[in-house]
Amino acid sequence: VPSRVIFTAALINIALSAFFGLSCHWGLAGVAISYIICSLFMVGIFSPYYACKVAELSLRKYWVESLIKPSFPALIFVGIDLILVTFIDLNSKANLSLWIAIMIPISIGLYYICAYFFSLNLTEKNLIKDIRALFLIKNRKSEGASASHELIQ
């Protein structure tokens, strides 16, 4: 089944490329648009559908877990940033520099915090805790080694 769908998508891509590129006079941009349309169909619609069908998973649950939940924090902070941009004149270099230096890192940090609470399941959260603990142990060992090295000297 996948090979037939890929072959059909390739034929549609050729037809759309000819239509957008030649008939609509969009040239290379039309070819790129037809490629994007076919790729979005394959990656965004067919592959998840087929994978869920083969694995006997719920397509609805797949979309919620892989697209909607991870996108939620991003949409919140994009919305907040867009609202804040309306109050700041980004035409001046000082305001633009301030925005880049302060607001973008704050937004990214808050995004990751929200993603941790909204998007990650318990297994992923425990994995992050284990990695964090591993780094803390390494830092303590390296601090202890440097302290003992100072005592020797």
Side-chain angles (χ1 to χ4, degrees):
V1 173
S3 59
R4 291 183 199 146
V5 174
I6 291 170
F7 181 73
T8 305
L11 292 176
I12 292 170
N13 187 13
I14 292 168
L16 286 176
S17 294
F19 175 72
F20 289 142
L22 300 173
S23 299
C24 295
H25 305 291
W26 290 355
L28 192 56
V31 174
I33 290 170
S34 70
Y35 174 76
I36 290 169
I37 290 170
C38 290
S39 294
L40 285 176
F41 167 75
M42 287 300 300
V43 173
I45 296 172
F46 175 73
S47 293
Y49 166 77
Y50 188 73
C52 287
K53 183 178 176 184
V54 169
E56 298 177 357
L57 298 172
S58 165
L59 185 61
R60 182 175 185 266
K61 184 176 179 182
Y62 169 82
W63 283 114
V64 168
E65 293 293 325
S66 67
L67 184 68
I68 295 171
K69 281 176 68 177
S71 299
F72 183 70
L75 293 175
I76 289 173
F77 287 102
V78 166
I80 290 171
D81 286 345
L82 289 175
I83 290 169
L84 290 175
V85 165
T86 60
F87 296 110
I88 298 172
D89 176 28
L90 294 179
N91 291 330
S92 82
K93 287 183 181 179
N95 287 346
L96 182 60
S97 298
L98 180 69
W99 184 262
I100 291 171
I102 295 174
M103 289 308 297
I104 291 178
I106 288 173
S107 296
I108 291 171
L110 289 175
Y111 167 76
Y112 281 112
I113 291 169
C114 285
Y116 179 83
F117 290 108
F118 288 117
S119 300
L120 300 181
N121 62 31
L122 187 60
T123 305
E124 294 165 335
K125 288 178 183 178
N126 287 335
L127 185 62
I128 289 174
K129 288 178 185 175
D130 292 344
I131 291 170
R132 185 173 176 262
L134 224 154
F135 278 113
L136 290 176
I137 291 171
K138 279 187 176 181
N139 285 340
R140 287 183 189 146
K141 285 183 180 178
S142 65
E143 288 173 2
S146 64
S148 64
H149 182 68
E150 289 174 7
L151 290 174
I152 294 171
Q153 292 179 350

